[in-house]
Structures are given as structure tokens and as C-alpha cells.
Amino acid sequence: MNIKTYNKKPAICNCINLRRASQAITEVYNRFLASSGLNVNQYSLLKHIKHLEPVSVSDLALHVRLDRTTVVRNLKSMEKNGFVTDNSLEGTRNRQLELTDEGLKVLRKAEVDWLEAQKFIEEYLGNDAMNTLTSLLSKIEALVP
């Protein structure tokens, strides 16, 4: 995929710079994933559900480190599209999410696109910058418990 890059000046605010970078990286991944019909948030949730299934919404939210309402909002479209199903016993309150056959199919397709996005970002930044970025992002995330 051919993605044009631009030279942009950083803001004086670290928060704004991180938000802009986050938006840019999300846009890159979404462009690569577009042919699968998923966005990067949906891909991540499907990947985590596959790894953890069956999984409750609360446990899924803990693993992806997003608030529960954000996870629920993202799950709605994936359930509507038939990618995710709730296999909890009738009358229980805890949903038990699993991928459907269609969910597995779209995940396999999206994995190819996601790997291409990963490769693009890694080549664009280079190994040293990628290692530094990963280390810094982990350190930043550790600011909040």
C-alpha cells in the first residue's frame, strides 16, 4: 500500500503530539485493514476474543485496557455482523463471548492486512526508533495504574 508521508511540526504540548501520533497510526492501520471490513479497534477485539474465548465483556475490557463501555460499543457492530456471539447460559448475567465461523474468517483475512501495516510502520520508523518508541510508550502507559 502506498501511503504518502508529510513533514509536520510538533506542537509545544506533549499531549497534543501524542494524540496526533495516535490518530496517524490509527489511520495507517485502518487503511491497511479496510479491505477486511474491520478497523483496528475491531481487529484488536476479535484477536483478543479469539485468544481468551470464552471471555466476559469485563475480562475483555481488562485485557485490552479499555473501559467497558468502549468495548461494548465496539462489540455491537461485530455482533450485528455475525462475527461475535454470546454463548452464556440463559439466565446468567455474564456474557461469554466467542468468535463465530464468520468472525474467524474475517479475522484471518484481517491478520494478513494487519501484518502488512506492522511491516510498513516498522520499515518507516526503522528498528532503533521502533524499539525506542515501544519503550517510551510502555513508560508513558505506566504513568497511570
Side-chain angles (χ1 to χ4, degrees):
M1 174 172 283
N2 188 10
I3 295 181
K4 186 172 174 134
T5 59
Y6 304 91
N7 282 333
K8 295 185 177 184
K9 293 186 182 203
I12 59 170
C13 175
N14 294 323
C15 182
I16 294 298
N17 289 328
L18 283 167
R19 290 181 63 142
R20 287 176 180 169
S22 176
Q23 289 172 340
I25 203 81
T26 298
E27 178 66 24
V28 169
Y29 277 86
N30 286 343
R31 286 183 188 178
F32 275 89
L33 288 166
S35 67
S36 73
L38 298 176
N39 63 41
V40 71
N41 296 330
Q42 294 167 327
Y43 171 79
S44 178
L45 287 175
L46 288 180
K47 187 79 171 172
H48 279 86
I49 292 169
K50 171 75 174 105
H51 178 72
L52 300 167
E53 66 185 359
V55 63
S56 70
V57 175
S58 296
D59 286 344
L60 179 60
L62 283 172
H63 276 86
V64 296
R65 296 198 292 267
L66 293 173
D67 64 270
R68 194 175 184 286
T69 56
T70 300
V71 172
V72 168
R73 187 173 54 250
N74 279 281
L75 284 171
K76 284 182 183 178
S77 67
M78 292 190 295
E79 287 177 300
K80 182 180 173 187
N81 290 329
F83 301 154
V84 176
T85 188
D86 176 7
N87 289 329
S88 61
L89 297 174
E90 193 171 323
T92 58
R93 292 188 56 180
N94 255 351
R95 299 172 68 197
Q96 293 298 302
L97 303 173
E98 293 182 330
L99 297 187
T100 63
D101 289 341
E102 189 62 28
L104 286 168
K105 182 180 169 185
V106 76
L107 179 60
R108 281 193 294 273
K109 162 68 175 114
E111 282 177 328
V112 174
D113 299 331
W114 181 84
L115 285 169
E116 286 295 317
Q118 287 281 103
K119 181 180 173 187
F120 175 82
I121 296 298
E122 289 167 2
E123 288 176 355
Y124 177 74
L125 291 177
N127 286 337
D128 289 344
M130 195 70 226
N131 290 336
T132 300
L133 175 64
T134 301
S135 176
L136 288 171
L137 291 174
S138 293
K139 190 171 184 175
I140 290 167
E141 191 175 358
L143 285 168
V144 178

